[in-house]
Amino acid sequence: SILNHVIFSNFYLQPDLRLNKTGSLTFYESPVEIRFCKFFDNNSEDALNIIRSDFIIENTIFSRNAFDAFDADFCSGVINNSKFYYCGNDALDFSGSNIEINNIFISNVLDKGVSIGENSNVSGTEIQISNSRMGLVSKDMSFLNIQNVKIDSTEIAFSVFQKKSEFGPAKIEARYIQ
């Protein structure tokens, strides 16, 4: 699927956990490219949920979504030049995924700016997180490698831990290079 200049707004979805659908918009085993889109005022567990798929997200805005803005499970993907505002839960939430994020702005998130788990590998550059509960979180054998990261006005900037006994420790490597 290729989505360009599409607005997703005011969706409401009761999660159908039998079908693994938790998003206002869900892609399951279906590659997708999303460019110049907007996801706002959605009231579902995830504004966008991508599962077991390759994806590209560029120049896209997520704003005022009730829970997670974007959740990727067992995916490979790239997110470039995108913004995440006023998230009711996490801005970016990755499980079992390999993701690259570049030029990302996150602000006013009630939980985590970037959350990775279940053996995820996430790398990126030019990440700004402000006015959020938590900045970068890595758990359960995940590795988060970020350059040119700037975090301000958060309760917790970095958090690394093991949540599930079947996984080992996690790691964050973050650098700010002027």
Side-chain angles (χ1 to χ4, degrees), residues 22-78:
T22 61
S24 295
L25 180 63
T26 298
F27 290 88
Y28 182 84
E29 294 183 352
S30 177
V32 62
E33 296 179 15
I34 298 171
R35 292 185 176 89
F36 299 99
C37 292
K38 293 180 182 178
F39 293 80
F40 65 95
D41 292 330
N42 293 298
N43 189 8
S44 58
E45 186 176 326
D46 311 307
L48 174 62
N49 188 14
I50 300 178
I51 305 163
R52 293 188 179 124
S53 304
D54 295 336
F55 68 84
I56 297 171
I57 297 173
E58 294 182 330
N59 302 300
T60 294
I61 296 172
F62 294 78
S63 182
R64 299 186 321 260
N65 293 295
F67 301 98
D68 288 353
F70 176 47
D71 188 328
D73 301 305
F74 311 104
C75 292
S76 293
V78 177

Side-chain angles (χ1 to χ4, degrees), residues 14-173:
Q14 285 285 21
D16 186 342
L17 300 178
R18 295 173 297 127
L19 299 175
N20 289 327
K21 290 195 288 187
T22 61
S24 295
L25 180 63
T26 298
F27 290 88
Y28 182 84
E29 294 183 352
S30 177
V32 62
E33 296 179 15
I34 298 171
R35 292 185 176 89
F36 299 99
C37 292
K38 293 180 182 178
F39 293 80
F40 65 95
D41 292 330
N42 293 298
N43 189 8
S44 58
E45 186 176 326
D46 311 307
L48 174 62
N49 188 14
I50 300 178
I51 305 163
R52 293 188 179 124
S53 304
D54 295 336
F55 68 84
I56 297 171
I57 297 173
E58 294 182 330
N59 302 300
T60 294
I61 296 172
F62 294 78
S63 182
R64 299 186 321 260
N65 293 295
F67 301 98
D68 288 353
F70 176 47
D71 188 328
D73 301 305
F74 311 104
C75 292
S76 293
V78 177
I79 306 171
N80 291 321
N81 306 316
S82 294
K83 298 178 181 181
F84 301 81
Y85 301 101
Y86 301 101
C87 301
N89 201 24
D90 301 337
L92 296 169
D93 186 3
F94 306 125
S95 296
S97 296
N98 294 302
I99 309 293
E100 181 181 332
I101 57 176
N102 300 296
N103 196 24
I104 303 296
F105 182 81
I106 298 169
S107 180
N108 295 289
V109 174
L110 294 182
D111 200 6
K112 299 174 279 299
V114 178
S115 176
I116 71 170
E118 298 181 5
N119 201 26
S120 289
N121 287 292
V122 176
S123 63
T125 188
E126 304 298 333
I127 312 301
Q128 293 183 3
I129 302 172
S130 65
N131 300 309
S132 300
R133 184 170 166 267
M134 302 176 84
L136 301 174
V137 176
S138 181
K139 55 191 178 290
D140 297 332
M141 287 180 56
S142 296
F143 179 49
L144 180 57
N145 184 0
I146 301 292
Q147 293 185 28
N148 293 347
V149 61
K150 191 174 189 179
I151 300 173
D152 66 76
S153 302
T154 61
E155 292 177 32
I156 299 169
F158 303 95
S159 181
V160 179
F161 58 93
Q162 181 178 341
K163 182 177 178 182
K164 298 178 180 177
S165 62
E166 63 267 29
F167 293 98
K171 181 178 177 182
I172 293 177
E173 187 173 311

